[in-house]
Amino acid sequence: AWEYTGVCNTVAIVTNGTAVLGLGHIGALAGLPVMEGKAALFATLAGINAVPILLEETDPKRCIDHIAAISTGFGAIQLEDFAAPACFEIESGLRARLNRPVLHDDQHCTAVVVLAAALNATRWAGRELVNCVIGQVGLGAAGIGIVRLLMCAGVRRVLGADLDAGACRRFAAMGGQPATLEEIMQGCDIVIATTGVRGLIKPAMIRRGQIIMALSNPDPEIEPALAMQHGAAIAADGKGINNVLGFPGLFKGALAARATSFTDAMLLAAARKIAELAPGHDLVPDPLDRSMHEAVAAAVKAAVR
């Protein structure tokens, strides 16, 4: 099948519509335009055939069963817009059952791009990322994915805030330090926000010299220009630090290597390559540069080898 069918270049983009962009649980059909957009990006940026799959199901175990049952016709599975905490169970269950790469885009692709941006931001600011205190505001799928990969890259101290007690417990179990928003703003060198709450970070909260990544789309927790006006050394939002920089190359590299799973080595290789390709003092490269995605794919493939 790998030699003579299209399975070697086909990805399933699966959603149940429980966490679509900043809109929340709007349902699978309402999330279809996002899945179609992802499919168009896969095709345009990486030459991959991607097929939107809509699940009218929220029970994690049944989601795992449904996705596993249709997985044979795909070289890899991209999970999209599944809400936390169910997304963690669904991804881990599929990884255990399937012999093909499975990746929850909102967690891991976001984390890859954030790590790339953080590597460059600390370089331009004359700091070492591993020595910085990181503050993660919002501990949903994206937030937990970011924290996990930053720790994998060597970051030693991460503070995290979320209104959900279960999210804070998961974060603490990873080795993070639960904190309040105020404590994060006062004590952290880098603040990353993935809350979906427009204007959550007030200008007066900014500590001079901080690196601020307010990543909620379409409206960030604080506009980068406003953060810079109030003392931030570097500020960015989710329009620039966006997972479109990560998923085309990650999946292309995994398919090219016939990988059976995504590993941390693959994610780290992608993040470092994205950081390396950023021009000048930009935090990340142009997401529409196809050569960038080819280079990321090559780095991911090499990490598999």
Side-chain angles (χ1 to χ4, degrees), residues 12 21 45 81 105 116 133 144 157 167 173 197 289 297:
L21 300 178
L45 300 176
D81 293 345
D105 184 45
V133 180
I144 289 294
R157 189 174 177 215
V197 181
D289 179 359

Side-chain angles (χ1 to χ4, degrees), residues 72-89:
T72 306
F74 301 95
I77 308 292
Q78 181 185 40
L79 301 176
E80 184 77 27
D81 293 345
F82 283 84
C87 62
F88 306 123
E89 181 180 348

Side-chain angles (χ1 to χ4, degrees), residues 187-269:
C188 292
D189 304 305
I190 303 173
V191 177
I192 304 164
T194 56
T195 65
V197 181
R198 178 182 184 180
L200 177 68
I201 298 175
K202 308 303 179 189
M205 295 178 175
I206 302 291
R207 184 164 57 82
R208 183 161 295 279
Q210 279 180 319
I211 296 169
I212 305 292
M213 301 184 190
L215 304 182
S216 291
N217 282 323
D219 300 306
E221 287 80 2
I222 186 169
E223 293 290 344
L226 186 60
M228 295 286 287
Q229 289 171 13
H230 287 80
I234 297 171
D237 61 18
K239 298 177 184 66
I241 302 174
N242 192 284
N243 58 14
V244 69
L245 285 154
F247 68 80
L250 277 162
F251 277 89
K252 189 175 183 70
L255 291 170
R258 297 197 188 189
T260 56
S261 65
F262 279 102
T263 65
D264 287 337
M266 296 161 73
L267 302 182
L268 292 170

Side-chain angles (χ1 to χ4, degrees), residues 2-118:
W2 200 270
E3 295 287 343
Y4 295 110
T5 77
V7 70
C8 62
N9 195 46
T10 304
V11 173
I13 308 175
V14 188
T15 190
N16 66 356
T18 51
V20 181
L21 300 178
L23 302 173
H25 188 167
I26 61 174
L29 182 59
L32 180 56
V34 179
M35 306 311 116
E36 290 181 335
K38 283 286 172 75
L41 290 167
F42 265 120
T44 302
L45 300 176
I48 290 173
N49 304 316
V51 182
I53 304 291
L54 305 183
L55 289 185
E56 292 291 348
E57 183 58 75
T58 57
D59 179 78
K61 290 182 174 56
R62 288 199 291 269
C63 285
I64 292 168
D65 288 340
H66 294 329
I67 297 168
I70 57 93
S71 64
T72 306
F74 301 95
I77 308 292
Q78 181 185 40
L79 301 176
E80 184 77 27
D81 293 345
F82 283 84
C87 62
F88 306 123
E89 181 180 348
I90 292 168
E91 184 187 34
S92 63
L94 287 169
R95 282 175 177 260
R97 283 179 61 168
L98 301 182
N99 65 344
R100 64 204 64 227
V102 177
L103 200 67
H104 184 205
D105 184 45
D106 306 275
Q107 284 186 73
H108 306 297
C109 296
T110 302
V112 162
V113 181
V114 169
L115 174 56

